Each structure stands twice: as C-alpha cells, then as structure tokens.
Amino acid sequence: MFERVLAVVRRIPKGKVATYGDVAAASGFPGAARQVVWALRSGGKGVPWHRVLGAKGRILLTGENGFEQKLRLRSEGVVVSGDRVDLEQYGHAFKRGRPAPT
C-alpha cells in the first residue's frame, strides 16, 4: 500500500498540492487518509511530501516541519495564507482511471 501511495504523491506536479484524502482515493484506498500520513512518514526518496495537505488545504504539520512545508510550497510559487492553501487555485486533479501501479 505504501509504495502505491508514494507513487501517487510523486505524480503531484511542482506548484500543485493535494489533500491526504485525494491521495488515498487516487491510490485506490478511498477513506485511508491516515494511512497516507503513515506512508509519508515511512520516507522514500524523491517524495514531495510537502505537497500533501489536510482537508480544505490546511497545513497540519506543526513547528519546524510546518515551517519547512510552507517554505517549500512558497518556493514552488504556491501562496500560503496563514496555514492554508487555496485548493481551487493550487489543487492537483488526479486523472480518473486505474490507481497507480504498485
């Protein structure tokens, strides 16, 4: 499961974001947003973890990790207002169809 989730996260382009729920659904595991968090914590090289946000575009990480996420998003041109990103403008729409390969 984790490899499939990480593969989906790698598909989020620079300057775009997705929610944990969006990633779970695109991975073929709708309703498994919490498992997306676990997959991101498990690591993996080249995974743009900073492009994954909570519901309604909210940055859920606190402290240094949240600060780093904001910096990384801003460096990609994403506007962060407080702890939120406008999903209408910056949200990535995954193509419908088969889930990412494992």
Side-chain angles (χ1 to χ4, degrees), residues 26-96:
S27 301
F29 304 103
R34 187 165 290 173
Q35 286 76 9
V36 171
V37 174
W38 296 341
L40 290 172
R41 285 184 180 167
S42 76
K45 295 189 181 207
V47 178
W49 59 269
H50 61 284
R51 297 179 188 152
V52 185
L53 306 171
K56 300 179 184 170
R58 186 164 176 242
I59 292 176
L60 301 177
L61 298 174
T62 60
E64 289 181 24
N65 292 327
F67 182 72
E68 181 179 354
Q69 186 174 24
K70 288 178 187 178
L71 286 178
R72 286 177 178 240
L73 289 172
R74 287 178 176 146
S75 75
E76 294 183 357
V78 175
V79 175
V80 180
S81 296
D83 65 350
R84 292 195 186 270
V85 171
D86 181 358
L87 293 177
E88 292 274 329
Q89 184 172 1
Y90 298 104
H92 175 64
F94 292 100
K95 291 183 182 179
R96 298 199 183 258

